[in-house]
Every structure is written in C-alpha cells, then in structure tokens.
Amino acid sequence: MVEEGLLGEVRLINTEFQYGAFATPIEKLYPAAQWRMDPTKAGPSFILGDVVTHALQVEEMMVPSLKIKELMCAKQHFGAGRS
C-alpha cells in the first residue's frame, strides 16, 4: 500500500512494541538475561535500546524514503517488581 501510494504521503509512523519476555524475573534463572536488567550495563534505557531497534527496522523497511527526524518514547510496565 505504501509503495503503490494508496496511503498518500507518509509523514508519521506510530509504532508500539509489546515486550513480554521479561514480565517475570527470568534474569534470576538465566544469567545471560541479567545485563538487560542492569542499567550499568544496558544503560538507562533498560531494554528499550535493545528491542526498539526491531520496530525501527520495520518502519525503515516499510517507508525507506522517510528519515527519522524526531523520536518519542513512552514506556509502561505491568509486571510486579519492574521499574
């Protein structure tokens, strides 16, 4: 639809990425997951720096001519013990 111009000029892409893999504290069971939960290793963005790249890749594949000028991120959590 984008390639055929059926949507008109694409000026904005709104993406949501639900990441449920760490809804429970699996880092206690799997040491390989611990770095994602540690801001000294993963950075202040927590897991966002890791998984959001997937959403951005999909956007860039859908509309390769559209270049990111601004980026806004809002995060929520629903798992107990997550911040």
Side-chain angles (χ1 to χ4, degrees):
M1 292 174 70
V2 172
E3 288 179 359
E4 293 177 15
L6 299 174
L7 301 176
E9 178 188 1
V10 178
R11 297 175 294 155
L12 173 75
I13 299 175
N14 184 5
T15 304
E16 291 187 21
F17 191 92
Q18 289 77 32
Y19 190 73
F22 295 115
T24 57
I26 68 162
E27 68 274 11
K28 295 176 183 174
L29 300 173
Y30 302 101
Q34 291 177 357
W35 72 269
R36 288 185 166 98
M37 307 303 159
D38 184 349
T40 64
K41 294 184 176 98
S45 67
F46 173 62
I47 195 74
L48 297 176
D50 181 25
V51 299
V52 171
T53 57
H54 302 294
L56 292 174
Q57 180 187 17
V58 169
E59 294 169 2
E60 289 178 342
M61 288 183 345
M62 287 179 11
V63 190
S65 63
L66 191 64
K67 303 301 178 196
I68 297 171
K69 294 180 182 175
E70 293 183 46
L71 180 67
M72 184 183 84
C73 179
K75 65 179 181 172
Q76 294 177 298
H77 67 90
F78 301 101
R82 296 291 187 214
S83 58

